[in-house]
Amino acid sequence: MKEYKLPALCRMTVTQLSAMLEAKEITSVEIVAACLQAIELRNDEIHAFLEVFAEDALASAAASDERRKEGKPLSSLDGVPIAIKDNIVIRGKICSCASKMLESFTSPYDATVITKIKAAGMPILGRVNMDEFAMGSTTERSAFGATKNPWNTAHVPGGSSGGSAAAVAAGMTPAALGTDTGGSIRQPASFCGVVGVKPAYGAVSRYGAVAFASSLDQIGPIAKTVEDSALIMQIIAGHDIHDATSDQALAQDYTANIDQGSMKGITIGMPKECFGEGLSPEVDAAIKAAANHMQTMGAVIKEVSIPDFPYALSAYYVISSAEASSNLARFDGIRYGYRAQAYEDLDELYRKSRQEAFGMEVKRRILLGTFALSSGYQDQFYLKAQQVRELLRYEIGEVLEECDFILTPVTPTTAYKLGEKSSDPMEMYLGDIYSVPANIAGLPAISMPCGMSADGLPIGMSLMGAKDALPRMLAIGAAYERAQNVNENLHPYDSVEGSDAK
Ligand code: GLN
């Protein structure tokens, strides 16, 4: 591993930076400069950022400092920088979705979350890497090269929001936005030892997030702590007239009780279907140890059953691919992005543009989805998957009647080695087994660190709750974090020789 010296500010959480800005102990320009320095030091190796908006971020930081000087900050996070997954559009910037298809596509408008980030005064550091069109679990599917895991660069950071998670874990940004269709925020957060939040469907506007599977997609934060994630949720959540699925009832207060959460009297269910075959013994042990800690903090731990949990994965891959095949039809070589150079007629233009610009995994999903929707097979696959979806919603709902939250692993193993799974799509898909149910059921779920493997890779745990339970879930997550000091031990840069971080 290379030697590098990370600026001390890069260790700070969003919460700490916000307090230091408020107390005028630091400036936003200093924070952004420190992040840029960390990016400079480590991005060649980690490849989290696809593009860094150095000038814009510094200008926005300077404007923030002016506001702070006048005592008129736009929000408590005014001046705290953030990185954006490259499938969320920013006006005047390229949004590539890590695809050759959109390599030079510039967005004419801001996604609603970007409008909110800007209105809060948060400088945007740049756009970060992902699997092409968010299809994948490692970032190896990016058309622009894989991101590496900051804990061990021979391993993947997870995906598809791998750039977001790696950038936070490596101290290049205090927080990032990701998207989660079937685990893409939570799984990379788990692989990189940071916190990832998938809000309930409808809590955060999807306007301006490039659609993968519209009934499953959600934008959410990745940060170092649960409390930080709550602060970002507070900025990005809320009803939006531009997204018909945005839910007014989920315009909640995510920070109100964040420092008063208590495990006392909370019932946590552990589905027995999640702790069997296929789960690595180390992950199994870490989750059970976390459950024990929760119990000592006053929680009631209960074994529960979600009989159809194992079928969520098949339903997810049918539904998400079906929706993707329809959503990606718009990339036709005419309206957006890449166009083939030579073609005889319109048909050939469509065919060649799509053939040349989409990567292998994207093509696989389009084929799979088109097949699942084709006449004669629709009943057998798509409708069947929708029935499984209903059943799961019902079963999870039943469990949440008797428990406050459901505790599961995020992934069956710790981060894979680069290349380990990339030749076998089925193997790769199986890793999503624990994360897709939250999307299938539209429920909020968080992934937070709960231990380390013997070979020094982070292990995450997942909490899932009822549709409106995210504020409470964040509060008890933060309580757990405080009690266990999990984050104290989880800075990859501490282990690096030459780091002056400590
Ligand atoms: N691994 C999942 C997939 O490839 C995750 C996708 C996502 O959440 N964007 O479909």
Side-chain angles (χ1 to χ4, degrees):
M1 203 175 274
K2 271 192 200 154
E3 278 194 14
Y4 72 100
K5 288 191 190 297
L6 195 80
L9 274 180
C10 296
R11 291 175 54 84
M12 303 284 171
T13 63
V14 169
T15 309
Q16 289 167 333
L17 292 172
S18 158
M20 289 164 86
L21 283 167
E22 168 75 25
K24 304 216 165 20
E25 289 163 16
I26 42 164
T27 64
S28 175
V29 168
E30 284 167 334
I31 303 171
V32 169
C35 292
L36 294 174
Q37 203 184 327
I39 295 169
E40 181 74 35
L41 283 168
R42 280 221 101 182
N43 201 49
D44 280 350
E45 190 191 1
I46 305 287
H47 193 48
F49 278 81
L50 291 175
E51 189 185 353
V52 182
F53 310 145
E55 237 171 76
D56 292 349
L58 283 168
S60 137
S64 166
D65 289 336
E66 277 307 306
R67 287 191 294 271
R68 292 258 180 203
K69 227 183 264 167
E70 288 163 21
K72 289 182 187 150
L74 295 170
S75 73
S76 64
L77 300 193
D78 197 333
V80 178
I82 192 161
I84 307 294
K85 185 177 180 180
D86 203 20
N87 62 348
I88 300 172
V89 300
I90 305 170
R91 191 189 153 105
K93 299 288 181 205
I94 287 176
C95 177
S96 78
C97 291
S99 178
K100 207 175 153 194
M101 183 60 89
L102 293 175
E103 189 170 5
S104 47
F105 167 75
T106 301
S107 172
Y109 72 103
D110 278 329
T112 297
V113 289
I114 299 297
T115 306
K116 286 173 178 271
I117 294 275
K118 287 180 176 172
M122 300 176 74
I124 298 176
L125 288 167
R127 47 190 186 90
V128 280
N129 204 9
M130 55 186 277
D131 290 290
E132 184 176 4
F133 282 103
M135 297 168 187
S137 311
T138 58
T139 74
E140 292 167 294
R141 305 293 192 211
S142 166
F144 309 119
T147 300
K148 313 280 168 57
N149 192 315
W151 291 88
N152 182 336
T153 50
H155 289 254
V156 301
S160 63
S161 312
S164 307
V168 173
M172 297 174 184
T173 177
L177 291 187
T179 60
D180 192 311
T181 305
S184 277
I185 287 176
R186 293 159 288 150
Q187 184 258 23
S190 168
F191 278 8
C192 291
V194 292
V195 173
V197 174
K198 185 203 89 74
Y201 188 75
V204 176
S205 169
R206 291 180 296 114
Y207 181 69
V210 179
F212 164 5
S214 310
S215 77
L216 303 160
D217 298 342
Q218 267 296 287
I219 297 173
I222 293 183
K224 289 177 188 139
T225 68
V226 176
E227 185 172 3
D228 285 6
S229 311
L231 291 172
I232 310 281
M233 271 305 289
Q234 191 71 6
I235 305 276
I236 62 172
H239 183 253
D240 180 18
I241 51 159
H242 295 304
D243 175 359
T245 60
S246 132
D247 187 344
Q248 180 72 59
L250 295 174
Q252 296 169 286
D253 190 339
Y254 293 92
T255 51
N257 299 310
I258 193 69
D259 48 3
Q260 289 148 38
S262 160
M263 287 278 179
K264 283 213 173 63
I266 299 273
T267 310
I268 303 223
M270 293 173 73
K272 58 173 191 258
E273 293 79 8
C274 297
F275 294 89
E277 212 191 314
L279 180 62
S280 104
E282 261 186 324
V283 176
D284 184 62
I287 308 289
K288 287 180 179 152
N292 278 339
H293 288 316
M294 291 182 196
Q295 201 163 21
T296 57
M297 291 170 68
V300 179
I301 308 288
K302 203 168 157 175
E303 185 182 270
V304 294
S305 173
I306 306 174
D308 288 305
F309 202 99
Y311 302 108
L313 195 64
S314 320
Y316 166 79
Y317 273 94
V318 171
I319 295 168
S320 65
S321 302
E323 294 185 20
S325 73
S326 152
N327 273 326
L328 269 59
R330 77 191 63 176
F331 302 107
D332 55 7
I334 294 181
R335 286 172 294 180
Y336 306 91
Y338 183 87
R339 178 176 301 175
Q341 293 287 316
Y343 44 87
E344 296 285 311
D345 55 20
L346 186 62
D347 255 0
E348 201 185 1
L349 163 62
Y350 289 155
R351 264 200 322 273
K352 277 184 119 180
S353 301
R354 289 167 71 82
Q355 209 168 52
E356 289 167 18
F358 282 144
M360 184 183 61
E361 184 63 25
V362 173
K363 286 178 185 156
R364 194 182 348 256
R365 306 287 177 111
I366 294 174
L367 287 173
L368 197 65
T370 309
F371 177 71
L373 289 174
S374 59
S375 83
Y377 293 102
Q378 192 165 0
D379 290 2
Q380 242 174 305
F381 294 103
Y382 185 69
L383 292 182
K384 189 56 109 204
Q386 293 290 18
Q387 285 165 347
V388 172
R389 183 175 198 174
E390 263 328 291
L391 208 58
L392 267 164
R393 271 199 184 131
Y394 175 80
E395 288 173 11
I396 297 174
E398 291 268 279
V399 170
L400 288 171
E401 292 277 307
E402 45 167 320
C403 299
D404 295 282
F405 304 110
I406 297 174
L407 172 68
T408 68
V410 185
T411 59
T413 63
T414 52
Y416 325 126
K417 284 219 167 73
L418 281 151
E420 189 181 329
K421 305 260 175 188
S422 52
S423 57
D424 186 343
M426 217 25 220
E427 268 287 300
M428 186 89 92
Y429 299 170
L430 281 172
D432 298 335
I433 180 114
Y434 302 115
S435 44
V436 298
N439 305 75
I440 289 278
L443 300 175
I446 67 181
S447 157
M448 56 187 288
C450 70
M452 294 294 283
S453 70
D455 56 357
L457 289 166
I459 299 173
M461 64 174 173
S462 163
L463 287 172
M464 175 165 70
K467 190 141 198 169
D468 60 357
L470 187 52
R472 282 176 65 218
M473 199 152 68
L474 291 167
I476 69 135
Y480 177 87
E481 207 170 56
R482 278 194 303 275
Q484 302 309 321
N485 279 336
V486 266
N487 302 95
E488 293 294 299
N489 309 316
L490 287 171
H491 295 292
Y493 26 86
D494 288 348
S495 62
V496 178
E497 232 181 294
S499 166
D500 63 354
K502 264 209 159 152

